[in-house]
Amino acid sequence: MDTAAAIAAILASVRRIPAGRVSSYGEVAARAGLKGRARMVGRVLGMAPADDPVPWYRVLKSDGRIAFPLGSDAFKQQVRHLRKEGVRVSKTGRVDLATHAWTVGQSLDELLWG
DNA sequence: AGCGTGACAAGGT
DNA sequence: GACCTTGCCACGC
């Protein structure tokens, strides 16, 4: 898959994350058919165009922490976005994945009994 | 082509 | 938790 297709797949993958849930760079890449290219997800989101909005703030590191430096503007903005959707974020930028991580299983549960 | 750098990940100390 | 190492991939020099 070429770069342009990879970018499109990544953006589509990020857009699939439901509001109020989070995912990781690695999972986003995997769901885009780009296993092992977590770093590319960060690159693509960094280029995210304003006229083509993507919920970049729903993407965290694999350990559930925000990828930006604590206290940076981007960090604070991400915290604000997440909390607005009901995601609990600690002062140090940590999110409990067991509670908020998006998984196919949880989506099915919500569809069936949610 | 080589090398450093980075919104990463996984495993170990 | 804070680091380190290894593997990874795209970019810019």
Side-chain angles (χ1 to χ4, degrees):
Chain A
M1 141 155 26
D2 59 59
T3 306
I7 291 174
I10 287 171
L11 292 177
S13 181
V14 172
R15 278 191 281 258
R16 277 200 289 278
I17 306 171
R21 323 213 61 130
V22 299
S23 190
S24 71
Y25 294 91
E27 286 184 5
V28 166
R31 290 204 312 271
L34 299 166
K35 205 159 8 189
R37 297 192 229 184
R39 301 189 88 116
M40 186 173 182
V41 174
R43 274 192 71 59
V44 171
L45 292 183
M47 298 289 163
D51 60 326
D52 188 15
V54 182
W56 57 269
Y57 50 85
R58 294 180 192 145
V59 186
L60 310 169
K61 299 184 85 171
S62 61
D63 60 5
R65 294 191 320 179
I66 286 177
F68 297 108
L70 183 60
S72 64
D73 290 334
F75 177 96
K76 287 183 279 194
Q77 202 191 353
Q78 184 161 14
V79 171
R80 198 174 81 267
H81 277 299
L82 288 172
R83 287 181 175 159
K84 189 172 56 183
E85 295 189 344
V87 175
R88 286 249 315 284
V89 186
S90 77
K91 200 167 297 184
T92 55
R94 196 192 74 260
V95 170
D96 182 56
L97 295 181
T99 302
H100 298 102
W102 180 81
T103 67
V104 178
Q106 289 181 337
S107 284
L108 265 180
D109 286 347
E110 288 173 3
L111 180 64
L112 296 175
W113 344 98

